Amino acid sequence: MTETTVAGVLAELAALDDPKARAVNERHGDDHGVNLGALRAIAKRLKTQQDLATALWATGDSAARLLALLICRPRAFSRDELDAMLREAHTPKVQDWLVNYVVKKSPHAEELRLRWAADPDPVVASAGWALTTERVAKKPEGLDLGGLLDVIEQRMKDAPDRLQWAMNHCLAQIGISHADQRARAVGIGERLEVLKDYPTPPNCTSPYAPTWIAEMVRRHEPAPAGRP
């Protein structure tokens, strides 16, 4: 992919940059001002282009990196490339899209889950917990759910924000997906009170684990039979 093509995409992204959107994103730690819907429309037009994706990632620009994650081939990256990408991602949105759109589809996901969950960098560790939450929900075979709850109970309360959020998500997912662990998961949430007072908009589910678990279980319960 030529430099001109990369430059053309960067110019298109720059033209879409909205200072108001950038200001909102900056409050959440991000540094781009491109509407995500517009970004997805560009990705739909470009389709999968691994070489272009690699070149856009190398620019270091967050909007370009988000686009790169939409047009790449997830299975084309090596384990070490994905590890390096996470460590240089720098912003929450890029980190989240990397994990959700690329790493989860990679054959290296399980190895990276184990490596990252034990990493001393809390942002990297949060990615490991996000991958663990995915396994809790979809492929729990072989996971020590009780052991995960032990770690959450010991460490979540004092964990840095990003890591705490990821561990809390895992706690809630264990309670939602595994009825035999539900009472313990709810009890841990009640004792630790993590995110109990988190401001939650109307019609949204609170991230406080006991409330989150109760709501999601309620939604999946069979509807009561009607009266004859």
Side-chain angles (χ1 to χ4, degrees), residues 4 71 165 215:
T4 301
I71 67 171
W165 189 276
E215 174 60 20

Side-chain angles (χ1 to χ4, degrees), residues 2-216:
T2 65
E3 182 179 354
T4 301
T5 303
V6 173
V9 173
L10 291 176
E12 184 174 3
L13 293 174
L16 291 170
D17 192 271
D18 179 353
K20 292 182 179 178
R22 179 179 287 274
V24 171
N25 290 333
E26 285 176 348
R27 291 201 291 271
H28 300 285
D30 292 307
D31 61 357
H32 69 91
V34 180
N35 177 276
L36 297 182
L39 204 65
R40 293 181 189 279
I42 296 173
K44 185 176 181 180
R45 186 188 78 230
L46 293 174
K47 299 182 171 60
T48 301
Q49 296 191 46
Q50 180 65 16
D51 289 343
L52 178 57
T54 301
L56 290 172
W57 181 272
T59 67
D61 178 81
S62 288
R65 285 183 162 181
L66 290 172
L67 180 58
L69 296 172
L70 294 176
I71 67 171
C72 73
R73 288 196 304 273
R75 300 179 71 85
F77 295 106
S78 71
R79 176 200 61 197
D80 290 342
E81 284 174 327
L82 292 172
D83 183 72
M85 289 168 72
L86 178 66
R87 294 175 191 279
E88 67 185 31
H90 302 310
T91 64
K93 183 64 70 176
V94 176
Q95 292 157 356
D96 289 345
W97 279 26
L98 174 63
V99 172
N100 287 302
Y101 296 163
V102 180
V103 179
K104 285 181 180 180
K105 300 176 183 179
S106 165
H108 309 294
E110 178 62 11
E111 187 174 356
L112 289 171
R113 180 184 77 84
L114 295 171
R115 176 191 291 190
W116 288 344
D119 198 278
D121 183 327
V123 172
V124 175
S126 72
W129 278 93
L131 294 173
T132 299
T133 301
E134 177 85 351
R135 272 206 61 188
V136 166
K138 297 182 178 180
K139 296 180 181 179
E141 297 79 11
L143 283 179
D144 178 3
L145 298 178
L148 289 174
L149 291 176
D150 289 343
V151 175
I152 291 169
E153 189 167 26
Q154 294 165 11
R155 301 181 186 175
M156 182 174 72
K157 181 75 171 179
D158 298 319
D161 288 349
R162 289 288 302 280
L163 179 54
Q164 184 184 74
W165 189 276
M167 295 176 81
N168 183 71
H169 189 178
C170 190
L171 172 66
Q173 194 63 59
I174 291 173
I176 293 164
S177 299
H178 301 278
D180 59 327
Q181 300 287 342
R182 187 168 298 149
R184 186 181 175 203
V186 170
I188 290 171
E190 289 174 342
R191 286 192 299 278
L192 299 185
E193 298 188 333
V194 168
L195 300 175
K196 184 176 182 178
D197 299 320
Y198 190 84
T200 305
N203 302 318
C204 291
T205 302
S206 169
Y208 175 51
T211 302
W212 190 354
I213 293 167
E215 174 60 20
M216 297 308 294

